[in-house]
Amino acid sequence: MWSLRNPIRTGLIWVSVPLIGLMLTAVFVVLGDRVTASYYAAAKTPSSTTETLIALPGAISGAIFFLSLFIVPSYIAKAWRAWRSMRRLAEPGSASLVAHWTVNASIWAWFQRDLRDARDKGDGLSSMALSLCDLDSPATGIDIRVGEEGVQVGARYFALRGGRSSSLTAVSPGALGRDSAHSGADYLAFVSTFQGYSRSLGAYTVEEIGLIVPVPRPSGAAMQRVLDHFTPTAIADLEARDARRGRIGCLLNLGLLAVSIGMLAIYGIFDIQSAGWYGLLLFAAWLVWLVSYLMQVVVALVVGLGHMLRMMRAPR
């Protein structure tokens, strides 16, 4: 499971990162050329320290630019997937929409108070679920749309599949500790688990509430449709579909690497320039894909380390 707030704005921010890096690099290069040109025009040779200070800003911004070319595409792809899913859920009569309801401002405020109380008590809520503490409700309320593969809460999208930090295991009525009769709503919980291994603990599984949302009592039928849809069989199918997509992606990645190496080999043997350029472009695309995968692995390792530390500190 993973989440993203305002995919369009987030995507534009990530798109601007390499553009800003490229612009700063160009500015620093032009300024450096002009400064060194003034030295040479005066028949002076700048010292090595001066040359380093002149070249350093451009080198740093250039490194940021090239690094962003490998990191940014994965975040842009995630923002695009979230935007496409939210757009699909908003279509009238969408086949991927399971249920839809609106939470008014007063119920949402009560829900956020319950959420903060649960956070203070450490009631097994994920950081993704707690992110709703900062989601303000407009006067018209918060729209909640539950789809087959994700949940839209206002401007934030929660993916029920994908990501390596946790996976969806159950959807059930939830509770946050207060008397729900005063809030005027029930709670719907999306339970996720993380599986890890360590030498001290062995194989372990951490279960937490990946997402919890309020459901006003008049929308009880919508909540029941969600519960009826996300049966254990449907959740298992969702996980199998995600694993199948992962295998297809792995095969495509290896295929891309093989084609790029083949084209570079053709360039080396037959000296065909076009094959060499296309081979380099495909190899760069493969590197970007590989970095995206490695970043997901690193995120999973960090999340797993946090779970492991909490388990080691918990009383036995």
Side-chain angles (χ1 to χ4, degrees):
M1 296 177 66
W2 54 271
S3 67
L4 194 67
R5 184 170 185 175
N6 201 330
I8 295 178
R9 185 183 63 185
T10 302
L12 291 176
I13 291 174
W14 282 111
V15 167
S16 67
V17 171
L19 296 178
I20 293 174
L22 179 61
M23 181 185 66
L24 290 176
T25 302
V27 169
F28 285 134
V29 168
V30 171
L31 289 178
D33 287 341
R34 290 188 177 182
V35 172
T36 53
S38 64
Y39 273 92
Y40 293 129
K44 297 180 180 179
T45 301
S47 64
S48 59
T49 303
T50 303
E51 288 181 339
T52 302
L53 292 176
I54 293 173
L56 188 60
I60 293 175
S61 59
I64 293 174
F65 166 69
F66 283 108
L67 185 62
S68 68
L69 293 180
F70 292 96
I71 297 177
V72 167
S74 62
Y75 289 97
I76 295 177
K78 183 176 287 188
W80 180 78
R81 289 198 300 268
W83 171 79
R84 186 183 62 175
S85 299
M86 291 173 66
R87 184 179 179 183
R88 190 182 298 121
L89 290 176
E91 292 176 354
S94 173
S96 60
L97 181 66
V98 177
H100 166 235
W101 63 88
T102 301
V103 181
N104 61 45
S106 62
I107 292 179
W108 186 257
W110 190 280
F111 162 70
Q112 288 184 315
R113 287 195 296 269
D114 286 352
L115 204 58
R116 294 187 184 98
D117 290 344
R119 176 190 60 191
D120 297 338
K121 295 176 182 177
D123 283 350
L125 293 171
S126 69
S127 58
M128 191 168 64
L130 293 174
S131 66
L132 294 179
C133 291
D134 302 322
L135 184 62
D136 295 330
S137 171
T140 55
I142 294 284
D143 281 336
I144 298 178
R145 301 175 186 270
V146 180
E148 295 178 344
E149 297 185 352
V151 181
Q152 178 184 348
V153 183
R156 184 179 285 274
Y157 179 75
F158 297 85
L160 300 179
R161 70 165 194 86
R164 300 181 179 274
S165 57
S166 62
S167 58
L168 180 71
T169 54
V171 179
S172 61
L176 287 178
R178 284 178 180 257
D179 184 2
S180 60
H182 295 294
S183 65
D186 297 314
Y187 292 135
L188 181 66
F190 296 81
V191 182
S192 62
T193 58
F194 177 88
Q195 296 180 347
Y197 177 85
S198 71
R199 291 184 178 180
S200 58
L201 298 174
Y204 63 91
T205 301
V206 178
E207 185 177 89
E208 62 183 1
I209 297 177
L211 173 65
I212 187 167
V213 292
V215 184
R217 299 234 161 74
S219 302
M223 178 175 174
Q224 189 60 47
R225 284 198 300 272
V226 175
L227 295 174
D228 292 340
H229 176 81
F230 287 102
T231 61
T233 302
I235 294 175
D237 290 342
L238 189 66
E239 187 174 356
R241 193 185 316 161
D242 196 31
R244 185 167 58 251
R245 290 174 179 174
R247 289 193 295 268
I248 293 173
C250 183
L251 292 175
L252 291 176
N253 184 274
L254 293 176
L256 185 63
L257 176 62
V259 171
S260 64
I261 292 177
M263 297 188 76
L264 290 174
I266 291 174
Y267 165 71
I269 297 172
F270 301 104
D271 197 22
I272 301 177
Q273 297 289 336
S274 59
W277 283 113
Y278 286 129
L280 285 175
L281 289 175
L282 292 177
F283 188 75
W286 174 80
L287 281 178
V288 170
W289 200 340
L290 180 64
V291 170
S292 173
Y293 174 80
L294 292 177
M295 288 179 61
Q296 293 181 38
V297 172
V298 170
V299 170
L301 288 175
V302 173
V303 173
L305 179 62
H307 287 313
M308 185 182 68
L309 292 175
R310 283 198 295 270
M311 287 191 66
M312 294 176 66
R313 293 172 182 173
R316 298 181 181 179

